[in-house]
Amino acid sequence: MKISVLTVGKIKEKFYTEAINEYSKRLSRYCKLEIVQVPDEKTVENCSEIEADIVKQKEGERLLKHIPENAYVITLEIQGKQLDSVEMAKKINQLGIQGNSHIVFVIGGSLGLHKSVSNRADYKLSFSKMTFPHQLMRVILLEQIYRSFRIINNQPYHK
């Protein structure tokens, strides 16, 4: 199975990069992992709704260019469905059983995802009603994907 994590913006903090590298290494036992970063759009503080939508649209166009037509797309959105770790493992496992060999997880930028990206989603996932920095969300997502594969393979993992 191939898992792509498609994100907006670069990681600047070393501690995030180290965590991402660690989970990427751990995941290499279970799947082919690809992390794709698209440039973020410069955003002014307290921008209007129209300006925010333009920023999200530009970022969305960049994201959509990296989503293959046959991929199963899971967007991370506050309005998405919340799953516990076992349910997420079942979701990933079921997708594999159904023949979905490529899952693309999409994390938006600081303003979120444009509706064009959300509309492309096959599934909308929420980790919480809270907002997280998109850099931290990459680490959380990779950890949960790793945990999912441990659960799928009946391997121990701390709770």
Side-chain angles (χ1 to χ4, degrees), residues 85 101 109 158-159:
S85 296
S101 60
H158 62 275
K159 294 182 180 184

Coordinates of all heavy atoms in Angstrom, one line a residue, residues 85 101 109 158-159:
S85 N -8.4 5.1 17.5 CA -7.3 4.5 16.8 C -7.7 3.2 16.2 O -7.2 2.8 15.1 CB -6.1 4.3 17.7 OG -5.6 5.6 18.1
S101 N -5.1 0.9 -3.3 CA -3.7 0.7 -3.1 C -2.9 2.0 -2.8 O -1.8 2.0 -2.4 CB -3.0 0.0 -4.3 OG -3.2 0.8 -5.5
G109 N -3.3 24.3 4.9 CA -2.4 25.3 5.5 C -3.0 26.0 6.7 O -4.0 25.5 7.3
H158 N 2.0 1.0 22.6 CA 1.5 1.5 23.9 C 0.2 2.2 23.7 O -0.1 2.7 22.7 CB 2.6 2.5 24.5 CG 2.8 3.7 23.6 ND1 3.7 3.6 22.5 CD2 2.3 4.9 23.6 CE1 3.7 4.8 21.9 NE2 2.9 5.6 22.5
K159 N -0.6 2.2 24.8 CA -1.9 2.8 24.8 C -1.9 4.1 25.5 O -1.1 4.5 26.3 CB -2.9 1.9 25.4 CG -3.1 0.6 24.6 CD -4.1 -0.3 25.2 CE -4.3 -1.5 24.3 NZ -5.3 -2.4 24.7

